[in-house]
Amino acid sequence: MLSEFEYLTSLVYSPRGNSENALKSKKLLGLCKNGNPKFSDALVSFILKNGLENYFKNAVLIPIPRSSPTVEGSVFPSKVISDTLLKNNIGNSVWTCLKRTKAIPKSSSQYDANSRNSVATHLDSLSVENILIMEPEIVLIDDVFTQGRTAMASAMKIQNMFPDKKIKIFCPFRTKSFEDQNILENIDHGKMLLSPNGKVILPD
C-alpha cells in the first residue's frame, strides 16, 4: 500500500531564528507543549478565521503520543489540542488509541536529520488499539511537524489497523530550522510520501 498522506500546518516554528516572529514562535510552542489551554483556544480561532474546519469534517481525531509511554497525569499536548478542537465542534470525536510502547530519544535533543529517529524506529515503538471507528476519515494530531517521520509512522500504523479510512495529519507548527523570514502564520497544506529507502519526501 502506498504510504502517502495529506498534512496541514498553520504556524511557522523557527528554532534558530532571532526575528520578532521567530522568538514568538518559540514562546507559543512552549505554551503548546505545556498543554496551555489559551494556546489551543487561539488555535481554534485561527482555524475558524481561515476556514480550515472542513479539514476535520466527518473525522475522528487521534492524538499522536509523545516520545515515551504516556504516564497518568502527565501533559499530553496533542490530546489537549484534540479535546479543544472537539469542544468547538471541530472533528467528531477523540480517541487515544495510538500508544507509545517504549521510549525513544526526544526530537528536541537531536539536532540534525541523521541523528533523528527514523520512521522505522517510530514504527517499532508504536501500537494501535483496535476500536470501532464509524467516521470515514481520521486526523492525527501532533504539536510539531518537522521532517514528517513521527507523522508518517503514526499514519502508517493507523492505516494498517484501519485500511478503509482516509488518514490525514494536522500539526499547529511546521519547523523551518534553517529559515527565518519573520513569518509566524503560514497555512501549509500538502502531501508527504515515504520513499523506497524509508525517507519522508515533502513538497518543499
Side-chain angles (χ1 to χ4, degrees):
M1 185 178 295
L2 180 65
S3 295
E4 182 181 50
F5 303 100
E6 189 177 349
Y7 68 84
L8 175 69
T9 64
S10 55
L11 302 169
V12 175
Y13 170 52
S14 304
R16 305 184 188 188
N18 293 302
S19 68
E20 179 183 355
N21 277 317
L23 296 176
K24 189 174 182 180
S25 76
K26 298 173 191 179
K27 292 180 180 179
L28 288 175
L29 181 59
L31 292 176
C32 177
K33 285 191 171 293
N34 287 328
N36 190 303
K38 290 183 178 179
F39 171 81
S40 297
D41 289 339
L43 178 63
V44 165
S45 296
F46 181 89
I47 289 171
L48 296 175
K49 180 182 73 174
N50 289 280
L52 302 175
E53 63 271 22
N54 283 340
Y55 187 80
F56 308 88
K57 188 176 181 179
N58 298 321
V60 170
L61 311 181
I62 297 180
I64 294 177
R66 305 189 82 167
S67 59
S68 59
T70 303
V71 177
E72 187 176 354
S74 63
V75 178
F76 191 172
S78 57
K79 176 69 162 52
V80 174
I81 294 170
S82 301
D83 288 342
T84 306
L85 292 175
L86 182 63
K87 184 179 69 175
N88 289 273
N89 299 312
I90 300 174
N92 283 21
S93 59
V94 175
W95 292 100
T96 54
C97 59
L98 183 63
K99 311 287 186 181
R100 187 75 70 176
T101 57
K102 60 183 177 182
I104 59 174
K106 291 183 178 181
S107 296
S108 59
S109 65
Q110 299 168 310
Y111 299 105
D112 61 77
N114 293 328
S115 65
R116 285 179 174 266
N117 298 310
S118 66
V119 172
T121 298
H122 282 290
L123 285 170
D124 187 53
S125 68
L126 293 168
S127 67
V128 182
E129 179 185 352
N130 190 3
I131 60 173
L132 178 63
I133 293 179
M134 301 301 294
E135 290 84 351
E137 298 192 6
I138 294 171
V139 179
L140 295 169
I141 308 292
D142 205 0
D143 47 13
V144 187
F145 186 92
T146 302
Q147 294 175 328
R149 297 177 184 178
T150 305
M152 176 61 76
S154 298
M156 290 171 67
K157 278 286 189 180
I158 292 293
Q159 184 184 58
N160 185 60
M161 182 63 73
F162 307 105
D164 61 327
K165 307 298 182 184
K166 181 178 180 181
I167 298 160
K168 303 187 289 189
I169 294 98
F170 171 73
C171 304
F173 294 93
R174 173 86 191 272
T175 302
K176 297 290 185 180
S177 296
F178 301 102
E179 296 180 21
D180 182 6
Q181 299 180 11
N182 197 25
I183 297 172
L184 180 61
E185 296 183 357
N186 183 55
I187 297 168
D188 185 9
H189 185 195
K191 290 185 178 181
M192 61 176 182
L193 175 70
L194 186 67
S195 71
N197 62 359
K199 292 185 177 181
V200 178
I201 301 172
L202 300 171
D204 54 357

